[in-house]
Amino acid sequence: MYFARHIAATPDGAEARVLVGAGVDGPWVDLRVAERVRLERGGADSVAARRLAAALVTGSLADGIAAGEAFLDAARAALADGEGAGRLEVVPSLTNALDPSGYRDHMIFSGHFSRAWELRGEPVPEVLFELPVAYVGNPESFVGPGAEVPWPAYGRRLDYELELGVVIGRAGTGLRPEDADAHVFGFTILNDFSARDIQFREMEGRLGPCKGKHFGCAAGPVVATADELDWRAGLRMRARLNGETVCDGNSNEAIFGLDEVVAWASQGETLRPGWLLGSGTVNGGSSIEIGREVAPGDEIELEIEGLGVLRNRFGRPAEGGWEPSGDRRGAPGEPDGTEAR
């Protein structure tokens, strides 16, 4: 199955609705409508059916994933409905397919991270070949296909990143790689936008990235359930900048498997349904590897086999804002080297 979301106009204003389809391009069914009709056909009062359908199928795909088999049963029934309850006759403008309940991003493609360190004139840290290192991102920063990429006032050099997103379907902790199949719901295209200048600067403090990443991500146009993709064999991943192909890679080029990413992420903590784990940028999947810089108005298209195309355009730099300035050594509160007594 394939899931997507769109923003629907309702009497109470615009709201997100979860869609289900049999393919990456639909046709799409409004799952809440389909479930309400199914309940009514089963004898439920119309008011009760509306309430129950809204409780099971909120505007959040992460909520639906957390509902487990009840949500999936509703989706299967909607696709099997011969009368087409909830089917959208007009192809909707989609928003981010997943509103992740948690998000972290990894670095598992050595060609990409090695190039980044090379550009900084520093050796690649050994730990990157030993662990699928990650950072915790901002789940509130996600936009969908067609949305403008926000350009923060503090960023001078923005970048795109072509990534495969792993969507967690069932809670788990202390997992092993062989457990991954039971905990992965599906996959989506992920574009983890980066403000490279502030990212590299703040990471000199051995923390982050934070402001270099938290301003924006894109996901979509769909989330495909794991059974729809031969993900263990590898998926072709391509990027086009203003229509020009600038990357043609494959997810199987990673030095860690996605099952290992899931297992490591679960050590010492609990993965929750609706979490998104990014693969990190595929080799060649950002502008730093092609020696170019993106500019306001540039269009970036990311395509992954079986997941469609995620298309976004970079906006103009925001005006105003605030940044710390100056060197704070010697400022009040800065240690003066004397021992406390």
Side-chain angles (χ1 to χ4, degrees), residues 31 73 87 105 131 136 146-147 167-168 200 204 221 249 322:
L31 186 51
D73 285 345
R87 180 164 173 170
D105 203 9
L131 298 174
V136 176
V167 182
I168 299 300
F200 292 155
E204 290 177 4
W322 175 87

Side-chain angles (χ1 to χ4, degrees), residues 83-273:
E83 298 182 37
R87 180 164 173 170
L88 302 181
E89 298 302 327
V90 177
V91 177
S93 177
L94 301 180
T95 186
N96 48 307
L98 180 69
D99 53 316
S101 54
Y103 167 54
R104 68 181 54 187
D105 203 9
H106 298 76
M107 290 195 292
I108 63 173
F109 291 92
S110 62
H112 170 72
F113 66 67
S114 295
R115 176 59 176 160
W117 284 90
E118 177 186 332
L119 290 173
R120 296 177 66 178
E122 300 179 34
V124 182
E126 293 291 331
V127 67
L128 296 180
F129 296 99
E130 300 167 350
L131 298 174
V133 172
Y135 79 92
V136 176
N138 178 11
E140 299 295 325
S141 68
F142 279 76
V143 299
E148 185 176 271
V149 182
W151 193 305
Y154 56 76
R156 307 294 182 269
R157 181 176 183 182
L158 258 60
D159 203 354
Y160 59 86
E161 296 194 357
L162 170 55
E163 305 192 22
L164 178 60
V166 182
V167 182
I168 299 300
R170 188 159 68 90
T173 185
L175 304 178
R176 299 186 63 81
E178 56 266 29
D179 301 323
D181 282 337
H183 293 267
V184 172
F185 178 84
F187 300 89
T188 190
I189 301 173
L190 170 63
N191 196 336
D192 174 43
F193 301 113
S194 303
R196 294 296 189 196
D197 47 344
I198 192 69
Q199 175 195 354
F200 292 155
R201 184 181 172 197
E202 65 185 352
M203 289 180 68
E204 290 177 4
R206 299 296 189 263
L207 288 175
C210 178
K211 290 301 181 185
K213 295 284 190 177
H214 287 186
F215 63 92
C217 291
V222 301
V223 169
T225 52
D227 60 318
E228 296 284 357
L229 304 174
D230 190 6
W231 60 277
R232 290 187 180 276
L235 302 174
R236 189 178 184 185
M237 304 172 67
R238 287 176 285 181
R240 291 180 290 274
L241 184 60
N242 297 326
E244 176 189 351
T245 298
V246 290
C247 175
D248 192 344
N250 196 292
S251 62
N252 65 10
E253 298 170 4
I255 61 174
F256 294 96
L258 294 175
D259 50 358
E260 294 178 300
V261 167
V262 172
W264 179 243
S266 76
Q267 301 305 308
E269 55 186 305
T270 301
L271 299 183
R272 306 300 307 179

Side-chain angles (χ1 to χ4, degrees), residues 9-33:
T10 76
D12 296 322
E15 66 175 33
R17 301 297 286 261
V18 173
L19 311 177
V20 62
V24 71
D25 295 316
W28 297 111
V29 176
D30 185 316
L31 186 51
R32 188 188 303 178
V33 172

Side-chain angles (χ1 to χ4, degrees), residues 290-301:
I290 61 172
R292 289 168 59 175
E293 295 188 17
V294 299
D298 282 353
E299 182 180 76
I300 182 65
E301 296 175 286

